[in-house]
Amino acid sequence: MPLVRELDPSAGPLQFFGAELRRARTAAGLSQDQLGQRLGYSGAQVGKVETGERAPAQDFAEACDRTFPDAGGLFGRLYQLARRWDGGYPSWFAEWIDSERRATSICWWEPLLIPGLLQTADYARAILSADPETPEDQLEELVAARLERQKIFDRSAPPTLWAVLDESVLHRLIGSRKIMYDQLLHLADISCRSNITVQIVPAEIGAHAGLLGGFAIASFGNARGTVYMESPDHGQTTELPSVVGRLSLTFDTLRAEALPPRSLAGPDREGC
């Protein structure tokens, strides 16, 4: 079904882009499906851009400018603005943030770092400050935004999280020894929750299916799942069934190769 939820255009460039797209579309008397046909996208994808749930790709913005020439290149300019917008996290990460919030379960494979959903503030700060493109005056905002994501586990019906990490993640010194000590202690503590499982793929496994990069899979009950894939530049989010299916199989393989959890979550379990 096409999305019709209203958003505040002043919330950020993504929302402003979406509001302007909806205004132009309705003025032209087009449905989301009709506009999608002209842009080369589905009506559902148009709807997600309109509501700010999906960051538009460059070719999407360029197609909008071709479809609405009277806008004078507005969508291309908004796209460039959205690319520079952080607002706590990059614009290209917006769709995955929404997936985390809606998910009933999340499976996360991470070969390099502790996943953001399990990071302490100091660990996150050390990671973010290592990026030369992180503005110093926005560092604390970025850290706060990362910790804000973790509030999904404080809901009355939180999602389940199954995190599988490469053993090297535990040995990589991020920040200081004190930061790593606190991070590993936090990881051990949070894995005692009934909805969070953490497993480690031991180094002795050698080559395995997860060495090509980290990824996460968000599931929504009977709805189609969403995958987030990491890359050196920026991540990519997709709902393509072929990708979701392939990475789900990869995750199951990694989970089978990982050490079993030393304890299942719950206060009656040893170590918790």
Short mmCIF file of all heavy atoms in Angstrom, two decimals, residues 188 191-192 196-198 260-266 269-272:
data_model
loop_
_atom_site.label_atom_id
_atom_site.label_comp_id
_atom_site.label_asym_id
_atom_site.label_seq_id
_atom_site.Cartn_x
_atom_site.Cartn_y
_atom_site.Cartn_z
N ALA A 188 29.24 -8.72 28.00
CA ALA A 188 28.91 -9.92 28.77
C ALA A 188 27.61 -9.72 29.54
O ALA A 188 26.77 -10.63 29.63
CB ALA A 188 30.06 -10.24 29.73
N SER A 191 24.43 -9.65 27.22
CA SER A 191 24.12 -10.94 26.62
C SER A 191 23.34 -11.84 27.57
O SER A 191 22.85 -12.90 27.16
CB SER A 191 25.40 -11.65 26.18
OG SER A 191 26.19 -12.01 27.30
N CYS A 192 23.21 -11.41 28.83
CA CYS A 192 22.41 -12.17 29.79
C CYS A 192 20.92 -11.86 29.65
O CYS A 192 20.09 -12.52 30.30
CB CYS A 192 22.87 -11.85 31.22
SG CYS A 192 24.48 -12.52 31.63
N ILE A 196 18.71 -11.23 23.96
CA ILE A 196 19.98 -10.93 23.31
C ILE A 196 20.93 -12.12 23.44
O ILE A 196 21.18 -12.60 24.54
CB ILE A 196 20.63 -9.66 23.90
CG1 ILE A 196 19.75 -8.44 23.64
CG2 ILE A 196 22.02 -9.45 23.30
CD1 ILE A 196 20.28 -7.16 24.22
N THR A 197 21.43 -12.57 22.31
CA THR A 197 22.39 -13.67 22.27
C THR A 197 23.64 -13.20 21.55
O THR A 197 23.54 -12.57 20.49
CB THR A 197 21.81 -14.90 21.55
OG1 THR A 197 20.63 -15.34 22.23
CG2 THR A 197 22.82 -16.03 21.50
N VAL A 198 24.79 -13.48 22.13
CA VAL A 198 26.07 -13.12 21.52
C VAL A 198 26.90 -14.39 21.36
O VAL A 198 27.07 -15.14 22.31
CB VAL A 198 26.84 -12.08 22.35
CG1 VAL A 198 28.19 -11.77 21.70
CG2 VAL A 198 26.02 -10.80 22.52
N PRO A 260 29.20 -22.00 21.02
CA PRO A 260 27.87 -21.85 21.62
C PRO A 260 27.92 -20.81 22.73
O PRO A 260 28.96 -20.61 23.36
CB PRO A 260 27.58 -23.25 22.18
CG PRO A 260 28.93 -23.85 22.38
CD PRO A 260 29.79 -23.31 21.29
N PRO A 261 26.82 -20.11 22.97
CA PRO A 261 26.79 -19.14 24.07
C PRO A 261 27.14 -19.85 25.38
O PRO A 261 26.66 -20.95 25.65
CB PRO A 261 25.34 -18.65 24.08
CG PRO A 261 24.84 -18.94 22.71
CD PRO A 261 25.53 -20.18 22.25
N ARG A 262 27.99 -19.23 26.17
CA ARG A 262 28.37 -19.85 27.44
C ARG A 262 27.17 -19.97 28.37
O ARG A 262 27.15 -20.83 29.25
CB ARG A 262 29.48 -19.05 28.12
CG ARG A 262 30.81 -19.12 27.35
CD ARG A 262 31.92 -18.51 28.14
NE ARG A 262 33.21 -18.67 27.44
CZ ARG A 262 34.35 -18.25 27.92
NH1 ARG A 262 34.39 -17.63 29.11
NH2 ARG A 262 35.47 -18.42 27.25
N SER A 263 26.23 -19.08 28.20
CA SER A 263 25.01 -19.17 29.00
C SER A 263 23.90 -18.51 28.21
O SER A 263 24.13 -17.58 27.45
CB SER A 263 25.18 -18.46 30.34
OG SER A 263 25.45 -17.10 30.15
N LEU A 264 22.69 -19.00 28.36
CA LEU A 264 21.54 -18.32 27.81
C LEU A 264 21.10 -17.27 28.80
O LEU A 264 21.31 -17.40 30.01
CB LEU A 264 20.42 -19.32 27.52
CG LEU A 264 20.76 -20.37 26.46
CD1 LEU A 264 19.59 -21.33 26.31
CD2 LEU A 264 21.09 -19.72 25.13
N ALA A 265 20.50 -16.19 28.27
CA ALA A 265 20.16 -15.07 29.14
C ALA A 265 19.16 -15.49 30.19
O ALA A 265 18.33 -16.35 30.01
CB ALA A 265 19.59 -13.93 28.30
N GLY A 266 19.26 -14.81 31.32
CA GLY A 266 18.33 -15.06 32.41
C GLY A 266 19.08 -15.14 33.71
O GLY A 266 20.20 -15.66 33.78
N ARG A 269 20.77 -18.38 35.03
CA ARG A 269 21.82 -19.02 34.24
C ARG A 269 23.18 -18.73 34.88
O ARG A 269 23.43 -17.64 35.40
CB ARG A 269 21.81 -18.50 32.81
CG ARG A 269 20.49 -18.70 32.09
CD ARG A 269 20.25 -20.14 31.74
NE ARG A 269 19.01 -20.27 30.95
CZ ARG A 269 18.62 -21.41 30.41
NH1 ARG A 269 19.31 -22.50 30.59
NH2 ARG A 269 17.50 -21.45 29.70
N GLU A 270 24.08 -19.69 34.78
CA GLU A 270 25.42 -19.50 35.31
C GLU A 270 26.11 -18.36 34.57
O GLU A 270 26.09 -18.28 33.36
CB GLU A 270 26.23 -20.78 35.12
CG GLU A 270 27.67 -20.66 35.70
CD GLU A 270 28.45 -21.94 35.46
OE1 GLU A 270 27.85 -22.90 34.95
OE2 GLU A 270 29.64 -21.95 35.82
N GLY A 271 26.75 -17.46 35.32
CA GLY A 271 27.46 -16.34 34.73
C GLY A 271 26.58 -15.12 34.55
O GLY A 271 27.06 -14.06 34.19
N CYS A 272 25.30 -15.24 34.77
CA CYS A 272 24.39 -14.10 34.63
C CYS A 272 23.76 -13.76 35.96
O CYS A 272 22.72 -13.17 36.02
CB CYS A 272 23.31 -14.40 33.58
SG CYS A 272 23.98 -14.55 31.91
#
